[in-house]
Amino acid sequence: MSAHCQLTGARPGFGNAISHSHRRTSRRFDPNVQRKRYWLASEGRYVRLTLSAKAIKTVDVIGVESAVARIRARGVKV
């Protein structure tokens, strides 16, 4: 599963892991991405969305219909 959010567009960040001896190695900071199923009443079907934890809270506030509209406005197929 790709580590990016369909609603917010959050993607992995990159940086360095720094050891006790101060050696640097490359690492990646992945967003907390979950797959969640929502009932989309306007289409009479379920949609499965890949969302970050922050986006799940956003869907709870704005509703599934407007969240799917925002996702489609970004050009992502739902």
Side-chain angles (χ1 to χ4, degrees):
M1 175 171 67
S2 176
H4 77 276
C5 176
Q6 289 179 316
L7 182 60
T8 62
R11 291 190 175 271
F14 295 89
N16 291 313
I18 302 178
S19 70
H20 181 69
S21 63
H22 221 63
R23 290 182 59 127
R24 290 174 165 88
T25 54
S26 183
R27 65 160 293 182
R28 179 180 147 135
F29 297 91
D30 286 327
N32 184 7
V33 173
Q34 313 291 327
R35 289 196 30 98
K36 194 149 170 60
R37 194 174 82 146
Y38 290 101
W39 174 252
L40 196 59
S42 64
E43 297 181 16
R45 69 183 183 104
Y46 284 99
V47 291
R48 191 174 297 275
L49 302 175
T50 305
L51 301 172
S52 64
K54 180 182 177 181
I56 291 172
K57 294 173 190 173
T58 303
V59 170
D60 290 342
V61 172
I62 66 173
V64 180
E65 301 288 340
S66 59
V68 169
R70 284 188 192 181
I71 292 170
R72 287 180 174 151
R74 294 182 70 234
V76 179
K77 184 181 174 191
V78 176

